[in-house]
Amino acid sequence: MTKEHILYEDNDIIVCYKPAGIATQTAKIGQRDMVSEVTNYLAGKYVGCVHRLDQPVEGILVFALNQNAAAGLSRQIVENRMKKYYYAVAADIRPDAEVVPNPALEPEAGPDSVCWKRLTDYLCKDNRTNLSRIVSSDTKGARKAVLEYAVVEKKELSLETFQTESFGEKNPPSVALVRVRLITGRHHQIRVQMSHAGMGLLGDFKYAGERTKELSGALGIKQAALCAYRLEFEHPATGEKLSFQRKPEGVVFQNFSI
C-alpha cells in the first residue's frame, strides 16, 4: 500500500485504487488483500469493507474508518445512491453496434440517454463453485441484476497476430471499449451479464466464451479487462457529494482513447 494508491483519506473514510490481482478481502492465509493493506497502512485502525471488487478487477474502493461511516455508506449502497462506473474491454461486439464516443455519465438524464443500452437479468450464485449464472426470475435464490452500457470505441485486430482456426477473413477478431454503469451490485454481475449478451470480457476465463478466451490467450491477457474507474457517493459524516476518477492502469486499456 503506497501513497499513489490513495485518492483521499480523513477520519471517516479512505478511498483507494485496487490493482488487478489483489483480493478486496480474503480469509486465505498469506494472500494479499486490500483490507489488510489498508489496515497496515493505518497502523491497525478499524477498516470497514462496505463493497468489493472481484480479485481480477482493478479500480476504486471506499473503506469506512468507523462504525458510523460504515453504516452510512452501506445505507447508500442499499438505496442505490452510490454510483459506480466501469470501463471494460469486450470481444466480438456486433459489427453494427452503435459507437458513442462520449455518452453522458447520467443515462437517465438528457438527450444522451438513448446512447445507453440496458441489460436486465436474474442471477443465482453457486456457493460451491463461487460462480453465478443467469436464471429465470422464479428460480430459488434468483436476484435481479441491472446494468447499462455504451460502446465507446471499437478496433479490429490484425489477423497476423493469431495462428488459430477460430479467426479468419470472414470472422476477424475485434474488441471494443465499453462504459458500464452498475445499477445493482450482484456477484460477478458485469462479467456474467456481458458474456451472456455476447460481449465477453478479455481476460475473463470464468465466463467468457471459448473464442474470447482464445483471443485473450493470444494477446497474453490474464486479468479480466474491467476497471471501476469512477465512484460517486455522499460523505457519510458531512453529506458532501464526492466523486473520484482514475484512469485504468491495465495494459489492455492502453490502446484506447480514454
Side-chain angles (χ1 to χ4, degrees), residues 167-179:
F167 306 99
E169 292 182 2
K170 294 183 179 180
N171 56 346
S174 62
V175 295
L177 180 68
V178 182
R179 282 174 67 177

Side-chain angles (χ1 to χ4, degrees), residues 9-10 14 36-47 64-65:
E9 65 175 306
D10 60 23
I14 183 168
S36 298
E37 293 282 325
V38 175
T39 301
N40 292 336
Y41 168 77
L42 295 172
K45 189 174 180 178
Y46 169 87
V47 176
L65 301 185

Side-chain angles (χ1 to χ4, degrees), residues 1 6 115 223 252:
M1 189 74 185
I6 300 169
C115 300
Q223 301 286 0
V252 68

Side-chain angles (χ1 to χ4, degrees), residues 94-130:
R94 295 190 319 274
D96 60 343
E98 179 185 9
V99 176
V100 186
N102 295 296
L105 279 177
E106 293 295 338
E108 66 272 10
D112 284 334
S113 61
V114 296
C115 300
W116 293 81
K117 309 298 182 185
R118 176 168 286 212
L119 296 179
T120 301
D121 298 292
Y122 287 85
L123 302 186
C124 188
K125 179 184 177 183
D126 186 335
N127 290 320
R128 295 173 302 171
T129 61
N130 195 37

Side-chain angles (χ1 to χ4, degrees), residues 16-223:
C16 308
Y17 195 85
K18 184 187 87 67
I22 298 179
T24 301
Q25 188 175 30
T26 182
K28 296 181 180 179
I29 298 175
Q31 183 179 17
R32 291 177 62 197
D33 68 273
M34 289 298 294
V35 171
S36 298
E37 293 282 325
V38 175
T39 301
N40 292 336
Y41 168 77
L42 295 172
K45 189 174 180 178
Y46 169 87
V47 176
C49 181
V50 297
H51 69 127
R52 292 170 169 80
L53 292 175
D54 297 343
Q55 185 168 337
V57 178
E58 61 176 296
I60 302 173
L61 289 166
V62 57
F63 295 99
L65 301 185
N66 54 63
Q67 295 285 356
N68 288 337
L73 291 172
S74 296
R75 187 162 50 249
Q76 291 183 53
I77 294 173
V78 171
E79 297 173 355
N80 197 28
R81 292 187 288 121
M82 181 179 286
K83 306 299 183 182
K84 305 172 185 177
Y85 300 92
Y86 293 74
Y87 275 122
V89 180
D92 287 331
I93 298 290
R94 295 190 319 274
D96 60 343
E98 179 185 9
V99 176
V100 186
N102 295 296
L105 279 177
E106 293 295 338
E108 66 272 10
D112 284 334
S113 61
V114 296
C115 300
W116 293 81
K117 309 298 182 185
R118 176 168 286 212
L119 296 179
T120 301
D121 298 292
Y122 287 85
L123 302 186
C124 188
K125 179 184 177 183
D126 186 335
N127 290 320
R128 295 173 302 171
T129 61
N130 195 37
L131 294 174
S132 289
R133 58 190 175 91
I134 291 180
V135 297
S136 61
S137 60
D138 58 354
T139 301
K140 183 179 179 180
R143 303 184 71 186
K144 190 175 183 178
V146 183
L147 64 77
E148 291 170 325
Y149 73 93
V151 179
V152 295
E153 189 176 354
K154 291 198 296 185
K155 290 181 179 292
E156 282 198 2
L157 304 177
S158 171
L159 289 173
E160 297 176 357
T161 308
F162 309 99
Q163 303 296 323
T164 170
E165 296 181 358
S166 297
F167 306 99
E169 292 182 2
K170 294 183 179 180
N171 56 346
S174 62
V175 295
L177 180 68
V178 182
R179 282 174 67 177
V180 178
R181 182 189 176 205
L182 201 56
I183 308 300
T184 58
R186 308 303 182 207
H187 179 255
H188 294 172
Q189 180 181 334
I190 295 176
R191 296 158 67 187
V192 177
Q193 285 193 279
M194 293 291 284
S195 179
H196 185 259
M199 299 177 285
L201 304 189
L202 288 181
D204 183 4
F205 292 93
K206 283 190 174 182
Y207 297 105
E210 291 304 315
R211 179 178 159 96
T212 299
K213 291 177 182 177
E214 188 173 354
L215 182 58
S216 299
L219 293 172
I221 299 170
K222 299 179 180 179
Q223 301 286 0

